[in-house]
Amino acid sequence: MNQTFLIGIKFFKRTCSLIVLILIVSYSGYAKNVSTELFSPDKSIKVEINLNDKIYYSVYQDDQILLENSYLGLRLKDEVLGDNPKSASQKVSVIDEIIEREIPLRNAKVVNNCNVLLMKFKNKYSVEFRAYNDGVAYRFITNKGKDDIEVLNEDVHLNFPAKFDAVWSPTGSFKSSYEITYVETNTTDAIELDKSTLPVLIDTKQQTKILISEADLFDYPCLFLKTIDGNAMDSRFPKCPVEFGDDGDRSVKLLIEAEYIAKTTGNRNFPWRVFMISTDDTQIFENEMVFKLSRPNELGDTDWIKPGQVSWEWWHDARLYGVDFKSGYNLESYKYYIDFASEFGIPYIIMDEGWAKSTRDPYTPNPTIDLFELIKYGKSKNVKIVLWLTWLTVENNMELFKTFSDWGIAGVKIDFMDRSDQWMVKYYERVAREAAKHNLFVDYHGAFKPAGMERALPNILAYEGIVGMEQNIWGGRATTTNNAYLPFIRNAVGPADFTPGAMNSTHPEDYRPSRTNTVSIGTRAYQLALYVVLESGIQMLADNPYYYYYRERECTEFITSVPVVWDETKVLDAKAGKYFVVAKRSNDKWYIGAITDTEARDITLDLSFLKSGKVYKITSFQDGINAGVQAVDYKKVEGQVKKDDVLKIELARDGGWAAVIE
């Protein structure tokens, strides 16, 4: 028996509601080789699902096969969902809506349009597939009752039809800070590498790329991928810890792990397995499937959540100079940071590790700090304070959110989770919900990648999970080569706390580690461009105010003019791992950021996104004539542009370009 269902829905009117119950087909019993096809709305992408001894599926982009006979399964304690599947019914539907984002880190309005296939099986479970014009996704749904079920494993078996290139983030342990340098390999040779965190970028070498990630991750461990024989990948998951031991002020030892990866309610939706498909590299960052597939805002009113920039002292260890007081983690230094933030309209300062007398005690400031005086002083300057904490201190003092709110603290930076098992994923949720009760936002460091929790809980403004600029304090790992993948991999799935803002710019051959005068790799214009390129709800200014921000005032004025929330985002030109150019609109202003790797490039920009009949002022910061050898060299240029203009920009090696059009 072979029955095929083709979805070819013609849209007469875009609505904001779910169109349901287009087609229902029922089966009696188990039948082999039952085939179902699901198409994207524009029919460019096809998913072919085949019910045999397992639930198999293949994915096509036009005539190119991307995944071939991949399969899925959910291994419970007493059964394997997906083995010898017995179909009960299939329902096809359409989602066609406009989502207005509460915290628009990329676009204020998101078009959510896909075709849906819900396959119900006997044994009280379903598998849902969705086909978008830019990708596909699937998830398990169980209806096993309110009692808990134990998930021993989830089979995410990906089979590629040929040897494809891949960009991998290998880790030998499930205990990881997720600050992993990208490794370029292919789907065959990756067998020599450890399992990889997500996202993983696949290049078919025929224009099409696939970014693999997950969405709507709650009460479940993060997915890792491991290459096995041939061109196949299998899932790996951390086991659920059940007994812990002491391991200092910011970690615990996992003494005993369960046999299962998750113990969870029997009635639930499981995380989406997401395949973001692009035929042009400009489409990768514009893809918002992770957001669209995740559950909507669960906090209600979000007007109190205020994303913004923040001055950060830890990157340069609060080693100020040019001041008439002894610098450090003390009252005078923090007043100085507040004054700096106030002068440039920065809404927050972070008080990082060192503000408290003990990292285990969140209620007692360092004796050199009068926290309440600083809160009062900041209020007089329209600057609020964000406090750093270890995750373990938060876990042992969950009532601190009420206390901090009563004090007048705006948010918390929580650090060193370094795990993504079920317990820790639930911790992220518990913390964000408790913080939201008291109108505090959260910035997660030592964190896994975004997987949709930030849509449901939009007070989560950023996650680290990235080789950020702090890696240049010690070892220079935040290179322009690694950064050239960020918009296509890590930042493509959600906000990233990269902590930019270093004005002391160098090329790789000139890099030297230093805590006192820490440097960035890339040109000055490159650093400015990062404020437009990188997506984060809490964007750092990491450098020393005196030497770099006050003395480089025109650069600082540009940086602090760049918003962190946007009405519209358009990628103008891009090549994964090579260069990236993006335009973002806030009200009537467009900001453009361009970065390259170690190669100099000439790029031509199409300005057709501007309105017709208008002449715009453009202010740009470009690599100076000697930026190829002296990375701090830059030039500020002012001029006029209009919609029909073609703009030519030149990027030095490790270079960048940033502009505002108004």
Side-chain angles (χ1 to χ4, degrees):
M1 174 180 173
N2 186 299
Q3 188 154 357
T4 301
F5 305 99
L6 302 180
I7 298 177
I9 307 300
K10 182 176 180 181
F11 299 106
F12 293 95
K13 181 179 180 180
R14 184 174 300 282
T15 67
C16 291
S17 62
L18 176 66
I19 305 171
V20 299
L21 204 61
I22 296 172
L23 179 62
I24 298 180
V25 180
S26 296
Y27 295 98
S28 57
Y30 164 60
K32 284 192 174 183
N33 297 319
V34 176
S35 179
T36 303
E37 290 182 343
L38 178 70
F39 284 87
S40 60
D42 66 0
K43 296 187 178 180
S44 66
I45 292 175
K46 179 179 72 172
V47 188
E48 183 179 83
I49 304 105
N50 185 271
L51 305 184
N52 205 305
D53 60 317
K54 299 180 184 294
I55 302 173
Y56 294 92
Y57 66 96
S58 299
V59 178
Y60 299 80
Q61 168 70 46
D62 295 323
D63 296 327
Q64 182 187 5
I65 186 166
L66 307 179
L67 290 168
E68 183 176 34
N69 291 326
S70 298
Y71 63 81
L72 51 100
L74 195 66
R75 297 180 179 271
L76 307 185
K77 186 174 183 179
D78 301 316
E79 61 180 323
V80 179
L81 308 185
D83 275 10
N84 297 318
K86 296 177 174 62
S87 181
S89 67
Q90 296 188 10
K91 181 173 71 173
V92 178
S93 60
V94 176
I95 296 174
D96 190 14
E97 63 181 354
I98 302 290
I99 303 171
E100 295 189 3
R101 294 188 65 162
E102 292 83 8
I103 309 296
L105 298 181
R106 195 172 301 177
N107 292 289
K109 294 183 178 181
V110 179
V111 176
N112 186 22
N113 180 207
C114 64
N115 291 330
V116 182
L117 173 63
L118 181 64
M119 310 179 77
K120 292 188 176 182
F121 298 94
K122 296 182 178 181
N123 295 351
K124 299 180 180 180
Y125 74 97
S126 305
V127 175
E128 180 179 355
F129 283 88
R130 293 188 185 180
Y132 292 83
N133 293 339
D134 55 1
V136 300
Y138 75 82
R139 66 176 173 184
F140 274 95
I141 302 169
T142 53
N143 187 24
K144 297 284 187 179
K146 294 182 180 179
D147 292 340
D148 283 347
I149 57 175
E150 293 181 2
V151 181
L152 303 185
N153 195 22
E154 180 184 346
D155 293 328
V156 182
H157 179 85
L158 308 179
N159 189 56
F160 300 99
K163 184 167 69 174
F164 291 161
D165 288 341
V167 185
W168 204 255
S169 300
T171 175
S173 172
F174 287 117
K175 184 175 175 60
S176 171
S177 65
Y178 305 91
E179 300 167 73
I180 304 169
T181 302
Y182 293 123
V183 174
E184 297 174 334
T185 180
N186 59 62
T187 52
T188 300
D189 294 343
I191 196 169
E192 303 296 330
L193 299 175
D194 286 312
K195 59 188 173 295
S196 178
T197 65
L198 298 183
V200 170
L201 182 64
I202 303 296
D203 184 355
T204 69
K205 298 182 283 188
Q206 297 182 46
Q207 292 191 316
T208 304
K209 289 186 174 68
I210 313 164
L211 186 65
I212 305 171
S213 199
E214 57 188 336
D216 203 39
L217 178 69
F218 284 86
D219 192 22
Y220 202 75
C222 284
L223 167 65
F224 294 68
L225 290 175
K226 177 72 177 79
T227 291
I228 57 176
D229 290 341
N231 290 297
M233 295 180 184
D234 266 348
S235 51
R236 298 288 187 270
F237 292 94
K239 300 288 188 181
C240 187
V242 293
E243 187 174 326
F244 305 95
D246 184 70
D247 193 24
D249 67 340
R250 61 198 65 194
S251 184
V252 293
K253 294 178 180 177
L254 306 184
L255 300 179
I256 300 177
E257 294 180 330
E259 293 183 357
Y260 51 80
I261 65 170
K263 188 173 183 179
T264 186
T265 178
N267 292 337
R268 66 162 295 173
N269 299 330
F270 285 81
W272 290 98
R273 307 305 168 207
V274 184
F275 307 91
M276 303 157 64
I277 299 171
S278 58
T279 55
D280 188 290
D281 287 2
T282 59
Q283 299 167 352
I284 299 174
F285 186 76
E286 292 181 344
N287 190 309
E288 295 197 75
M289 282 180 62
V290 170
F291 173 82
K292 290 184 280 192
L293 288 163
S294 298
R295 63 196 67 179
N297 171 33
E298 295 180 351
L299 297 184
D301 174 54
T302 58
D303 289 345
W304 59 271
I305 304 172
K306 305 295 183 184
Q309 295 182 339
V310 56
S311 176
W312 185 38
E313 91 288 39
W314 187 85
W315 192 68
H316 55 277
D317 201 29
R319 299 180 186 183
L320 302 170
Y321 68 100
V323 295
D324 57 2
F325 55 84
K326 189 172 181 61
S327 67
Y329 298 87
N330 57 42
L331 180 67
E332 292 82 1
S333 294
Y334 282 118
K335 281 190 172 183
Y336 181 83
Y337 288 108
I338 289 171
D339 289 340
F340 161 68
S342 179
E343 180 171 347
F344 288 96
I346 302 167
Y348 305 110
I349 69 161
I350 279 185
M351 297 176 66
D352 211 293
E353 182 171 3
W355 75 268
K357 184 177 181 180
S358 165
T359 56
R360 298 179 186 268
D361 177 3
Y363 305 112
T364 307
N366 188 314
T368 62
I369 293 169
D370 185 336
L371 182 60
F372 302 105
E373 169 64 19
L374 287 171
I375 293 169
K376 180 180 177 181
Y377 187 73
K379 186 176 181 180
S380 73
K381 299 277 189 170
N382 294 316
V383 177
K384 294 184 177 181
I385 291 173
V386 179
L387 292 179
W388 173 94
L389 299 156
T390 72
W391 74 270
L392 189 56
T393 295
V394 175
E395 174 64 15
N396 292 332
N397 298 273
M398 288 295 282
E399 71 281 358
L400 65 81
F401 295 105
K402 181 181 185 306
T403 302
F404 282 12
S405 180
D406 291 343
W407 289 353
I409 297 301
V412 288
K413 174 184 174 182
I414 302 177
D415 208 347
F416 292 105
M417 286 76 71
D418 294 350
R419 291 176 16 226
S420 58
D421 50 65
Q422 183 193 22
W423 190 100
M424 188 56 79
V425 173
K426 290 173 70 174
Y427 170 87
Y428 279 54
E429 179 184 359
R430 287 191 293 115
V431 165
R433 290 189 188 279
E434 193 63 28
K437 289 180 186 177
H438 304 287
N439 289 7
L440 271 71
F441 65 73
V442 182
D443 174 19
Y444 286 122
H445 266 234
F448 54 76
K449 87 284 173 195
M453 191 180 291
E454 64 282 359
R455 181 182 178 191
L457 306 173
N459 63 320
I460 302 175
L461 293 184
Y463 306 71
E464 193 179 22
I466 193 171
V467 178
M469 207 171 64
E470 72 174 47
Q471 295 300 324
N472 287 352
I473 297 173
W474 308 284
R477 290 202 296 126
T479 64
T480 58
T481 299
N482 199 73
N483 295 349
Y485 275 117
L486 297 181
F488 307 95
I489 303 179
R490 169 59 185 84
N491 220 183
V493 298
D497 196 359
F498 180 85
T499 66
M503 297 290 101
N504 192 1
S505 307
T506 65
H507 290 290
E509 67 271 20
D510 298 320
Y511 168 79
R512 299 291 184 275
S514 169
R515 191 67 192 276
T516 302
N517 296 300
T518 314
V519 301
S520 64
I521 297 175
T523 67
R524 173 68 59 78
Y526 182 96
Q527 276 292 314
L528 271 58
L530 289 178
Y531 282 87
V532 184
V533 167
L534 296 174
E535 176 180 305
S536 177
I538 186 78
Q539 195 73 276
M540 306 277 179
L541 279 81
D543 221 329
N544 188 320
Y546 173 74
Y547 186 73
Y548 297 112
Y549 292 138
Y550 282 124
R551 292 177 59 167
E552 304 286 350
R553 181 171 289 270
E554 66 179 9
C555 294
T556 308
E557 288 173 346
F558 174 80
I559 287 172
T560 54
S561 77
V562 179
V564 299
V565 293
W566 303 95
D567 295 306
E568 188 177 0
T569 294
K570 293 180 178 295
V571 180
L572 304 183
D573 200 356
K575 182 64 176 175
K578 301 298 182 183
Y579 64 92
F580 181 76
V581 188
V582 67
K584 300 181 179 181
R585 180 177 64 83
S586 175
N587 296 318
D588 293 329
K589 289 184 180 180
W590 283 93
Y591 289 80
I592 302 177
I595 59 172
T596 185
D597 59 1
T598 56
E599 293 187 22
R601 300 183 193 277
D602 295 340
I603 299 175
T604 300
L605 302 183
D606 180 358
L607 302 182
S608 60
F609 56 86
L610 299 175
K611 292 181 179 179
S612 299
K614 286 192 172 185
V615 176
Y616 293 82
K617 175 186 176 182
I618 181 171
T619 304
S620 64
F621 292 79
Q622 62 191 44
D623 291 323
I625 193 169
N626 295 307
V629 291
Q630 176 53 273
V632 296
D633 189 28
Y634 79 94
K635 184 178 181 181
K636 180 181 177 182
V637 179
E638 295 181 345
Q640 293 183 335
V641 293
K642 55 185 183 298
K643 179 183 178 70
D644 297 331
D645 287 346
V646 174
L647 192 61
K648 295 182 179 180
I649 64 174
E650 297 179 0
L651 307 181
R653 66 184 180 106
D654 306 309
W657 186 88
V660 57
I661 299 176
E662 54 189 322

